[in-house]
Amino acid sequence: AVEKKVAKGKVGEKVGLPCCHEIPSVESLRNYRVYWQKNTTEVVLAYAEGKKISENERYDNRTELNSRNLTLWISPVEILDNGPYQCVVQHLKFAQNSVVPRIVCDESVTLFVTADFSEPSITTEVVRTSSCESYEVVVRCSSHGGFPKPKISGVLNNVSMVWNATWVSESSISPYNVTGNLWLNVTEDISLTCSIEYNGFAKSTSLLL
């Protein structure tokens, strides 16, 4: 199986997408056509014979091409930049009054964009007091403004537990808000941790009851 190329970037940072071809030192960008496209349909940036021939309004002033290894740099990265890209490189041979292009590489790379979630906030609400020794509480853990869709997990007195979770997002490429609810019958001191995990990152908050 062909190993898929991936790049990772956080919202607001600069990220480089590697291309599949490096121009030899004896040649220059003038001998090539380079197309960087997204979802195989939308041209992000294109060069022919050393000149920029296409630019995408959405990437206006946010992209640059390395003229040697053809890396596409995007800065600052946005959530909308998430997804698959393709680098297509043609080598140009100049024959009498004509240009003969030959594809030297055509490869995709997937960009995973991450937006940081807020520190999880834990709130508690006593819903019923059964007796002096026990009471029932609803514990709510929430975090907002991150991407991609997160996992929410918890640890109660060193034992893993599952939140009743809901996610809110305007679309699949919009920031997510997540809320987890837990109904507890409290009879002793409780140590509770709520963790939000996304794209290999995690944020946690702990609470003692």
Side-chain angles (χ1 to χ4, degrees), residues 15-79:
V15 66
L17 304 184
C19 185
C20 41
H21 186 75
E22 186 159 334
I23 296 177
S25 55
V26 292
E27 292 188 307
S28 76
L29 198 54
R30 285 195 293 278
N31 304 95
Y32 289 85
R33 277 186 204 147
V34 182
Y35 300 94
W36 267 104
Q37 47 201 30
K38 184 168 188 237
N39 299 322
T40 68
T41 52
E42 180 187 6
V43 176
V44 175
L45 195 60
Y47 275 79
E49 297 173 40
K51 295 189 187 74
K52 193 187 283 185
I53 55 168
S54 170
E55 201 169 31
N56 187 317
E57 217 173 85
R58 218 183 65 63
Y59 291 89
D60 217 7
N61 298 325
R62 292 199 302 123
T63 55
E64 55 184 288
L65 184 75
N66 180 301
S67 61
R68 190 56 64 192
N69 64 17
L70 309 179
T71 295
L72 174 70
W73 289 96
I74 304 175
S75 175
V77 167
E78 301 171 357
I79 288 178

Side-chain angles (χ1 to χ4, degrees), residues 51-133:
K51 295 189 187 74
K52 193 187 283 185
I53 55 168
S54 170
E55 201 169 31
N56 187 317
E57 217 173 85
R58 218 183 65 63
Y59 291 89
D60 217 7
N61 298 325
R62 292 199 302 123
T63 55
E64 55 184 288
L65 184 75
N66 180 301
S67 61
R68 190 56 64 192
N69 64 17
L70 309 179
T71 295
L72 174 70
W73 289 96
I74 304 175
S75 175
V77 167
E78 301 171 357
I79 288 178
L80 278 172
D81 300 332
N82 197 64
Y85 290 75
Q86 205 167 9
C87 183
V88 181
V89 183
Q90 296 176 342
H91 187 249
L92 305 177
K93 219 171 184 157
F94 298 95
Q96 304 129 338
N97 303 327
S98 68
V99 178
V100 184
R102 177 176 63 87
I103 290 186
V104 287
C105 86
D106 175 347
E107 198 171 277
S108 62
V109 51
T110 302
L111 173 60
F112 291 105
V113 177
T114 304
D116 276 333
F117 279 84
S118 63
E119 292 292 334
S121 151
I122 301 179
T123 57
T124 59
E125 182 190 345
V126 177
V127 282
R128 196 170 61 175
T129 306
S130 309
S131 66
C132 302
E133 289 87 37

